Amino acid sequence: MISFDFTVNDKDGLHARPAGQLVKEAQKLDSVVTIRKGEKAADLRKLFAVMSLGVKQGETITVEVEGGAEEANAEFVKQFLSDNF
């Protein structure tokens, strides 16, 4: 498993449109990707679960990538988050 932290810089936090795009891309990955905020966790392949975390600007999430091509998939998710949030 690969894990990394990401701090959301977007003024709208982890908001619907780019989160939806990220979920769509995560569904194509051969790894299970989980986002954690505090005690809450969400499967990155499920938009409502991701949105239910309520991630706001300045908050840090932990991303866990497990199985499949972990390194490549973790790098993809990290780059997507950096580009969009």
Side-chain angles (χ1 to χ4, degrees), residues 13-70:
L14 195 64
H15 54 101
R17 188 177 316 148
Q21 293 170 333
L22 180 56
V23 166
K24 215 180 230 185
E25 292 302 317
Q27 291 171 345
K28 298 175 188 175
L29 302 177
D30 60 349
S31 297
V32 175
V33 182
T34 304
I35 295 179
R36 296 188 183 279
K37 176 187 154 195
E39 296 296 316
K40 292 183 175 182
D43 182 337
L44 190 57
R45 296 173 291 189
K46 299 182 180 187
L47 181 60
F48 289 118
V50 172
M51 297 306 299
S52 73
L53 295 177
V55 180
K56 295 178 179 29
Q57 182 182 28
E59 293 183 325
T60 299
I61 58 173
T62 300
V63 180
E64 299 171 348
V65 182
E66 188 169 2
E70 289 178 351

